[in-house]
Amino acid sequence: MHNVKLGGSDEVEVAARQGKPGDGNAQQIQAVSRWVHLWRTIILSSLNKTTYPYCRYIRVLDLRDLKDLLEDEKFRADYGNDFFSGELSQFRKEMDTPVKAKSKTRRPLRLNTIATLEAIGEAITQQTPVLEELHGEITSAALLRWIPRLPKLQQMTLWNGAALANGVGNTLHIHCPNFKILRFYTWSAPDTDPLFAAFLQDLRPQSLENLEIISHSDIGAETFLALNCHSKSLLELKLDNIKPEAMPSLSMLKLCTALNSLSLAETTGSTDLEHTQNDIFLEVIGWLRDCNNLQTITLHKFLSGPAVLTPILLESNIHLVRLEVTDYAASKANDFHQALAHQQSLRSIVLKTDGEVCDINALVSSLCKIVNLVDLRLSNVSDFFRDEHICLLASNLPELESLWISGWGITDQIWSYLKLLHSLRRLDINAWSSFTADGILEYISGLGEGNWGLYLAVMMADPESALSEEEQYIVQEALTTKVEGRFDYTLARDPDADEYNESDSE
């Protein structure tokens, strides 16, 4: 669901667009109609053509939502020409290449979406003095024109970080004293690192609180050094798809110790700092040890991640609430798994390994000591769990609200223990299992108010002991009746079955 937020508590909401565009569904037609009406009203307001000056109260302008509308097939087929009629005809920017019409009566809309968005944004931003958030695919030239009109701007989300070049940082410094949150999806170019570093240095010192790079970029040492200009203000840092050549420069972030949330992901997962650049490895550990306010850590494809985190988990002055580590070697992570038990403040743990075998008894023992966990998601690392391991977790983690687990040879034995989880709202069992309908129904009979809306998924059921369609229906009906829950059931593929007949390849 997308929305344009108006002043105070007023909100104009666009209904969720469900199903395929143009499917003729009445609900779909109504949703698109409301969506069109919202944006047409906002744009007319920017031209002073509405009774009420809506634009004067807009705090959030999300041009991504408008882009979705302009590119929606149903909009282009049935609403586009009317949308750009009258006063809005000035915003209709079409592609130079014509499109062959399928009908003699209506020419299909062939918009230049980016040019159209920029023209509309140009009009709206002249009438939004209290705008706090700006999101969309916006050019550098547009930002340089719009920002001086937005003195209350606090955050931006951009598609291409290249829009931040050409003095945008200095413009924000001069005109937007409260700017503090920046996200962009990508910025890949030979000069990305120095240009982004210059942007960060141009901002007001110690002003940036949240930086998120969502996809690929070519940031590196210069960017990391420049982030130290915000070392005392920066609270949340998410850097996705860091290139291997930039990984040895991570220690340059060592002054950024006010962080409460850190998320790092390498592009390839190939940089072994511990064994190839141990001095950098130790400096990264030293940096994180100084981050006494850390509550959330996420590491993806970070080869040395478990080794970096082990001493951090043992720090008495660090109290993590959420930890997510994926794509690591389980067989080399026993120390990391055992260190988890020292973070009693943890409420959420997500672990996903490469599928190698680890000391699962030590892992389960450690997890059982974190008694305040509400969210536990184990993928691959729990592939060899048996009934007793799941029973132990259920017995010792009474606060669980969400449990995602794999395993092998799982049976009805676990249900009596899972009944102990009175707050469980989501249970994903991605394990080779042989449950009976009676076993599942007995579990459902014990559910209570705290389990309301439970989603129960059995995703790798043994085909030889599969529930019949009638049994699946009975389970679903029982779950719906008891707690208005939902049941998903999928058979496992036989690991001994060939994917294709060998004779077919000859």
Side-chain angles (χ1 to χ4, degrees), residues 96-110:
D96 294 333
T97 305
V99 179
K100 184 177 180 181
K102 296 180 180 179
S103 168
K104 294 182 179 180
T105 58
R106 287 182 78 90
R107 185 168 66 91
L109 193 63
R110 177 66 171 173

Side-chain angles (χ1 to χ4, degrees), residues 131-135 143 147 150-158 164 168-184 196 199-200 202-212 230 233:
L131 192 74
E132 297 175 356
E133 299 181 26
L134 178 62
H135 313 291
L143 287 177
I147 288 171
L150 309 174
K152 295 187 178 295
L153 187 67
Q154 296 182 23
Q155 61 175 286
M156 291 194 302
T157 303
L158 304 173
L164 299 170
V168 169
N170 189 54
T171 305
L172 285 166
H173 185 143
I174 295 171
H175 299 283
C176 305
N178 298 317
F179 183 77
K180 57 187 178 181
I181 299 174
L182 174 65
R183 305 179 189 90
F184 63 84
F196 189 41
F199 166 83
L200 294 168
D202 284 344
L203 293 175
R204 291 173 181 247
Q206 306 300 340
S207 63
L208 193 64
E209 295 181 6
N210 185 317
L211 172 63
E212 181 175 354
H230 307 276
S233 62

